[in-house]
Amino acid sequence: MMRAAFLLPLALLAPSIAAAQQAGDRFQLVRTTLVEQRGPGTMRSTQNSDALIERIVAVTPAGVELEFGLPPGSQGGDWTFPVRVFQPQDGPRQLRDRAELEGRIDKWLKDAGLTRAACGHWVAGWTAFRVECDPDAALRTVDAFAIGQLKLVDGAPYADAQAARPAPLKARPDGKGFTAELAVDPATIRDELARADVAAAELGGQALGLDAARKAHAGDQVSGTIKVTIELAGTVSRRTRVVAWTITRGGQTETRTTTERVERRPIVQRVDPSSI
C-alpha cells in the first residue's frame, strides 16, 4: 500500500507550466527516501522507493485536472488509487472522485478482513502500516510527489509541513532550477515523534495515548533545517529535499537526516510503424 512518510508542500500551479501541458501527457514520478539516524553508540539507515503515474486529463484557465495511479505491475491493492484531482491556479488540490473513493474503502477493508473499527490503527504485515479510511489520504500521498505543478518563480513562497514558516525560492545562478532553505518547526517534530511512539506501542501490543506521548516529548530540544533543490533539465524535473534535525533529551543527542528525491519524467508514447 502506498503511503507518504512525509507531508510535503502544497503545490501551486504556475501559468507557464499550465501553458506547456497538454491533455493526455503522462509522467512517471519516482520517489526515493534515505533516512539516517545517529545516537549515542548507534547508527541506523533505511531506504525505500515508490512511484506514481501522473496523467494530464485537462488543462483549463482555472487549472489542471490530473489523474494519479500506480505503475503497471505494482504489488498489492490500494483503494486510494487511481485518484483524480484538480489543481487550481491558486490553492491546494481538490479531490474529484471523493464518492468513488468512499465506496472503495469498504471493499478494501472487506478484502483485507478488516472492519471500520480498524481505521486509524496500525497493522503489522509485510510492513507496518496505518489503516487509512479518509479519502484525503490520497491527496496527502499525491502531495508527497508534488513537483509538476510547483509555482517556480524567483521569490515565490515555498512551504513545507515540517517547517516553521515558508521561505522564498531562489533561482539558481545557472538558470536551471531553484533552491530554498527553511527552519524546522520544533513543535511539529515533537508531535511526529509522539505519534511514532504511539504507533510503535500499538504494534507491540501496548497502550499509549497520544497525550501521554506528547507529554513525554514536551522537553525535547529540537533544531534543524530543510534544504530543497529543484532541478530543471529539459522535460525532466527533480526535487531533492534534505531534512536534518537534532534532538536533545536527557543529556543525550540524536541526529536524523532524511534525503528524499522525486523525479518527474515524461512517458513517451511509442508509435507502432505498422500503424502508420
Side-chain angles (χ1 to χ4, degrees), residues 27 50 63 73 89-90 137 141 150 152 173-174 176 184-185 193 203 217 222 237 242-243:
F27 300 85
D50 46 8
Q89 284 282 352
D90 190 5
T141 299
L150 289 174
L152 302 178
D174 61 7
K176 295 182 180 180
V184 300
D185 180 14
L193 292 169
L203 289 169
H217 287 281
V222 181
S237 51
V242 180
V243 184

Short mmCIF file of all heavy atoms in Angstrom, two decimals, residues 27 50 63 73 89-90 137 141 150 152 173-174 176 184-185 193 203 217 222 237 242-243:
data_model
loop_
_atom_site.label_atom_id
_atom_site.label_comp_id
_atom_site.label_asym_id
_atom_site.label_seq_id
_atom_site.Cartn_x
_atom_site.Cartn_y
_atom_site.Cartn_z
N PHE A 27 3.36 11.17 -17.09
CA PHE A 27 4.67 11.28 -16.46
C PHE A 27 4.84 10.17 -15.43
O PHE A 27 3.88 9.75 -14.77
CB PHE A 27 4.81 12.63 -15.74
CG PHE A 27 4.68 13.82 -16.66
CD1 PHE A 27 3.42 14.33 -16.96
CD2 PHE A 27 5.79 14.41 -17.22
CE1 PHE A 27 3.28 15.42 -17.81
CE2 PHE A 27 5.67 15.50 -18.07
CZ PHE A 27 4.41 16.00 -18.37
N ASP A 50 9.25 4.42 -4.16
CA ASP A 50 7.92 4.13 -4.68
C ASP A 50 7.65 5.05 -5.86
O ASP A 50 8.46 5.93 -6.17
CB ASP A 50 6.83 4.25 -3.60
CG ASP A 50 6.97 5.52 -2.77
OD1 ASP A 50 7.80 6.37 -3.12
OD2 ASP A 50 6.25 5.66 -1.77
N GLY A 63 -7.31 25.88 -14.08
CA GLY A 63 -6.32 24.98 -13.50
C GLY A 63 -6.17 23.72 -14.33
O GLY A 63 -6.63 23.65 -15.48
N GLY A 73 1.93 -3.39 -12.85
CA GLY A 73 2.68 -4.43 -12.17
C GLY A 73 2.91 -4.17 -10.70
O GLY A 73 3.59 -4.96 -10.03
N GLN A 89 -5.44 27.26 -10.18
CA GLN A 89 -4.34 28.19 -10.40
C GLN A 89 -3.73 28.65 -9.07
O GLN A 89 -2.54 28.93 -9.00
CB GLN A 89 -4.84 29.41 -11.18
CG GLN A 89 -5.04 29.15 -12.66
CD GLN A 89 -3.73 29.14 -13.44
OE1 GLN A 89 -2.69 29.46 -12.90
NE2 GLN A 89 -3.80 28.75 -14.70
N ASP A 90 -4.55 28.72 -8.03
CA ASP A 90 -4.04 29.17 -6.74
C ASP A 90 -4.76 28.40 -5.64
O ASP A 90 -5.98 28.43 -5.55
CB ASP A 90 -4.29 30.68 -6.58
CG ASP A 90 -3.58 31.26 -5.36
OD1 ASP A 90 -2.82 30.51 -4.72
OD2 ASP A 90 -3.77 32.45 -5.07
N ALA A 137 -6.47 10.98 2.35
CA ALA A 137 -5.18 10.30 2.39
C ALA A 137 -4.58 10.23 0.99
O ALA A 137 -3.35 10.26 0.81
CB ALA A 137 -5.33 8.89 2.97
N THR A 141 -0.83 11.63 -0.21
CA THR A 141 0.17 10.88 -0.94
C THR A 141 0.60 11.62 -2.20
O THR A 141 1.79 11.73 -2.51
CB THR A 141 -0.38 9.49 -1.33
OG1 THR A 141 -0.70 8.77 -0.14
CG2 THR A 141 0.65 8.69 -2.12
N LEU A 150 4.45 22.81 -9.36
CA LEU A 150 5.02 23.81 -8.46
C LEU A 150 5.10 25.18 -9.13
O LEU A 150 5.38 25.29 -10.32
CB LEU A 150 6.42 23.39 -8.01
CG LEU A 150 6.50 22.21 -7.04
CD1 LEU A 150 7.96 21.83 -6.82
CD2 LEU A 150 5.84 22.55 -5.72
N LEU A 152 7.16 27.83 -9.87
CA LEU A 152 8.60 28.06 -9.88
C LEU A 152 8.90 29.48 -10.35
O LEU A 152 9.12 29.73 -11.54
CB LEU A 152 9.28 27.02 -10.77
CG LEU A 152 9.04 25.56 -10.35
CD1 LEU A 152 9.70 24.61 -11.32
CD2 LEU A 152 9.53 25.33 -8.93
N PRO A 173 21.98 30.24 -10.04
CA PRO A 173 22.75 31.07 -10.97
C PRO A 173 22.80 30.52 -12.39
O PRO A 173 22.87 31.29 -13.35
CB PRO A 173 24.15 31.09 -10.33
CG PRO A 173 23.91 30.85 -8.87
CD PRO A 173 22.74 29.91 -8.83
N ASP A 174 22.75 29.19 -12.52
CA ASP A 174 22.82 28.60 -13.86
C ASP A 174 21.48 28.62 -14.59
O ASP A 174 21.38 28.20 -15.75
CB ASP A 174 23.35 27.16 -13.80
CG ASP A 174 22.46 26.24 -12.96
OD1 ASP A 174 21.36 26.67 -12.54
OD2 ASP A 174 22.88 25.09 -12.71
N LYS A 176 18.91 26.84 -14.08
CA LYS A 176 18.32 25.52 -14.28
C LYS A 176 17.61 24.99 -13.05
O LYS A 176 17.53 23.78 -12.83
CB LYS A 176 19.42 24.53 -14.69
CG LYS A 176 20.05 24.86 -16.04
CD LYS A 176 21.09 23.83 -16.43
CE LYS A 176 21.71 24.17 -17.79
NZ LYS A 176 22.73 23.16 -18.19
N VAL A 184 13.20 23.99 10.58
CA VAL A 184 12.18 23.04 11.01
C VAL A 184 11.39 23.64 12.17
O VAL A 184 11.87 24.49 12.92
CB VAL A 184 12.80 21.69 11.45
CG1 VAL A 184 13.56 21.05 10.32
CG2 VAL A 184 13.69 21.88 12.67
N ASP A 185 10.16 23.19 12.31
CA ASP A 185 9.29 23.62 13.40
C ASP A 185 9.43 22.61 14.54
O ASP A 185 8.98 21.47 14.40
CB ASP A 185 7.84 23.69 12.92
CG ASP A 185 6.88 24.13 14.01
OD1 ASP A 185 7.37 24.63 15.04
OD2 ASP A 185 5.67 23.99 13.81
N LEU A 193 7.25 12.70 16.57
CA LEU A 193 7.89 11.70 17.43
C LEU A 193 6.88 11.05 18.36
O LEU A 193 6.92 9.83 18.60
CB LEU A 193 9.01 12.36 18.24
CG LEU A 193 10.24 12.83 17.44
CD1 LEU A 193 11.13 13.70 18.32
CD2 LEU A 193 11.01 11.64 16.90
N LEU A 203 1.73 -1.44 17.74
CA LEU A 203 2.26 -2.62 17.05
C LEU A 203 2.84 -3.63 18.04
O LEU A 203 2.84 -4.83 17.78
CB LEU A 203 3.33 -2.20 16.04
CG LEU A 203 2.81 -1.47 14.80
CD1 LEU A 203 3.95 -0.86 14.02
CD2 LEU A 203 2.00 -2.42 13.92
N HIS A 217 7.54 13.97 25.17
CA HIS A 217 8.45 14.68 24.27
C HIS A 217 8.43 16.19 24.47
O HIS A 217 9.11 16.91 23.74
CB HIS A 217 8.12 14.36 22.81
CG HIS A 217 8.51 12.98 22.40
ND1 HIS A 217 9.81 12.64 22.08
CD2 HIS A 217 7.78 11.83 22.26
CE1 HIS A 217 9.87 11.36 21.76
NE2 HIS A 217 8.65 10.84 21.86
N VAL A 222 14.72 20.70 19.95
CA VAL A 222 14.79 20.35 18.53
C VAL A 222 15.29 21.54 17.72
O VAL A 222 14.86 22.68 17.92
CB VAL A 222 13.40 19.92 18.00
CG1 VAL A 222 13.50 19.52 16.53
CG2 VAL A 222 12.84 18.78 18.83
N SER A 237 12.25 16.89 -14.45
CA SER A 237 12.44 17.75 -13.29
C SER A 237 12.67 16.89 -12.06
O SER A 237 12.17 15.77 -11.96
CB SER A 237 11.22 18.66 -13.09
OG SER A 237 10.03 17.92 -13.08
N VAL A 242 16.34 17.71 1.70
CA VAL A 242 17.17 17.17 2.76
C VAL A 242 16.75 17.81 4.09
O VAL A 242 16.88 19.02 4.27
CB VAL A 242 18.67 17.44 2.50
CG1 VAL A 242 19.52 16.85 3.64
CG2 VAL A 242 19.09 16.86 1.16
N VAL A 243 16.23 16.98 4.97
CA VAL A 243 15.80 17.45 6.29
C VAL A 243 16.79 16.91 7.32
O VAL A 243 16.96 15.71 7.47
CB VAL A 243 14.38 16.95 6.63
CG1 VAL A 243 13.91 17.53 7.96
CG2 VAL A 243 13.40 17.32 5.52
#
